[in-house]
Amino acid sequence: MTQPGGQSFVPRVSLYDAQAQNRWRTVLLIAAFTLLVVGVAFVFGDILGGSSNAGIAFIPIAILISFGLSLFSYYGGDKLVLAQSRARLVAEGQEKVLRDVVETLALGLGIPTPKLYVIEDPAPNAFATGRDPRHASVAVTRGLLDTMDRSELEGVIAHELSHVGNRDIRVMLLVTVLVGTVALLSDWLLRSMWWGGRSRDRDRGGGGGILLLVGLVLAILTPIIATLIQLAVSRQREYLADASGAFLTRYPEGLANALRKISADQHVLSVANKATASLYIANPLKDHPFGFDHLFDTHPPIEERIKRLDAMA
């Protein structure tokens, strides 16, 4: 879109509108995820029990499995992530600039000051973790502290605190558990068809063969679909945290400039892996997909994030 004179025009976007749109997208994605879990559980129970009633009866079992995994991750997941990332707790009196920025922004957001951690790595990056604002932690790399000016550091910290304030950690925990449940159910489904599918097919006639075929397709495709939904939720939460962080600092340009620096940096964060990559403000692995139009990206394109920040009123 261009203005008279040939100058490009970027439409302005309300911060409140950006937040509302991303919340609704995330709700829809999680709803689709839940339906996927229920569908796999139904087919799994139907194949095992030999009737549709058995499929319905298995759905609560799948939900209980998800609940158990959720409890385990909810109370211990943050400690595991911090230990895996080799994050060092910042003691009182250390990293004064970082502590001042975090305390000021946490006060403005109305949440307790989270625990602060530093990862001694030259790659600029950061993440937040914890089950709620009272048990939150923010970890930043040494590279982030060394390369960002005050406004850029504020932009990054505001983004991470927005994850805490928006309860993104709970959302991503739910999605992660659903992914694990789908993978577990799919594995059980494949094993049940391998060991008992033939005999049940004979007992149920031709309809059993169709059901087994459906089950086989679900067992193969649902883990892939679940991963795609997980990554889509992760990308939407990043957009929402960008919008919320820009609203908190009232200076979207700070975060936009920080993302530009992070994007230009070529360091790969050595302590990151595929399991923790989605937690960071930007992809810490610096890997790029070869196809599928970024379907398997853990983060939205930084160029698009910067464009949205520049368009915010």
Side-chain angles (χ1 to χ4, degrees):
M1 195 171 176
T2 58
Q3 291 177 316
Q7 294 181 341
S8 61
F9 171 73
V10 179
R12 311 303 292 179
V13 178
S14 165
L15 290 170
Y16 295 106
D17 289 343
Q19 291 175 355
Q21 290 171 6
N22 283 299
R23 285 195 183 99
W24 276 112
R25 289 192 188 103
T26 301
V27 168
L28 291 174
L29 287 168
I30 292 179
F33 216 150
T34 304
L35 289 175
L36 184 64
V37 172
V38 170
V40 174
F42 175 81
V43 173
F44 178 69
D46 195 40
I47 290 177
L48 276 185
S51 69
S52 59
N53 289 334
I56 295 174
F58 192 77
I59 293 175
I61 298 176
I63 294 175
L64 285 175
I65 292 173
S66 298
F67 182 72
L69 292 173
S70 296
L71 284 179
F72 176 78
S73 301
Y74 186 74
Y75 288 102
D78 59 335
K79 299 179 181 64
L80 180 62
V81 169
L82 290 167
Q84 194 174 39
S85 303
R86 300 176 191 171
R88 171 182 59 82
L89 181 65
V90 176
E92 290 290 341
Q94 296 180 341
E95 309 294 347
K96 186 178 185 304
V97 174
L98 173 63
R99 187 173 295 279
D100 287 347
V101 168
V102 173
E103 288 178 349
T104 300
L105 291 175
L107 181 63
L109 192 59
I111 62 173
T113 302
K115 294 181 180 179
L116 301 181
Y117 289 81
V118 170
I119 302 170
E120 298 297 339
D121 191 286
N125 224 312
F127 71 86
T129 187
R131 62 182 183 268
D132 56 47
R134 291 189 174 275
H135 300 87
S137 300
V138 171
V140 302
T141 63
R142 180 60 60 189
L144 188 84
L145 297 176
D146 289 343
T147 58
M148 301 293 155
D149 64 25
R150 176 88 180 203
S151 68
E152 294 161 352
L153 180 61
E154 288 176 347
V156 172
I157 297 301
H159 172 101
E160 296 305 330
L161 292 183
S162 294
H163 277 309
V164 176
N166 293 335
R167 271 57 174 186
D168 285 349
I169 305 303
R170 291 182 181 178
V171 172
M172 291 311 299
L173 172 63
L174 172 63
V175 171
T176 300
V177 170
L178 287 171
V179 170
T181 303
V182 167
L184 185 63
L185 290 174
S186 298
D187 183 65
W188 285 352
L189 187 57
L190 283 173
R191 292 175 185 272
S192 68
M193 288 187 294
W194 177 259
W195 292 108
R198 292 183 179 178
S199 61
R200 281 188 293 271
D201 189 18
R202 289 194 298 267
D203 294 339
R204 300 175 67 177
I210 296 175
L211 182 62
L212 287 176
L213 179 60
V214 172
L216 179 62
V217 172
L218 279 175
I220 294 172
L221 292 183
T222 48
I224 299 174
I225 297 171
T227 300
L228 291 176
I229 296 176
Q230 179 191 29
L231 297 178
V233 171
S234 176
R235 291 192 291 267
Q236 291 303 323
R237 304 315 286 183
E238 291 303 313
Y239 282 134
L240 177 58
D242 284 347
S244 301
F247 176 75
L248 179 60
T249 62
R250 296 296 198 278
Y251 188 61
E253 188 176 346
L255 177 56
N257 289 337
L259 290 175
R260 289 187 181 96
K261 284 187 177 180
I262 292 173
S263 177
D265 187 88
Q266 297 302 310
H267 290 96
V268 176
L269 187 56
S270 60
V271 296
N273 54 51
K274 292 289 186 181
T276 61
S278 62
L279 295 176
Y280 288 85
I281 190 172
N283 181 11
L285 304 177
K286 302 294 182 181
D287 52 351
H288 301 284
F290 294 99
F292 298 103
D293 194 25
H294 299 282
L295 284 177
F296 291 94
D297 280 358
T298 57
H299 295 74
I302 283 186
E303 296 80 6
E304 178 63 23
R305 295 170 66 183
I306 293 172
K307 180 180 176 181
R308 293 190 182 198
L309 287 167
D310 288 340
M312 286 180 179

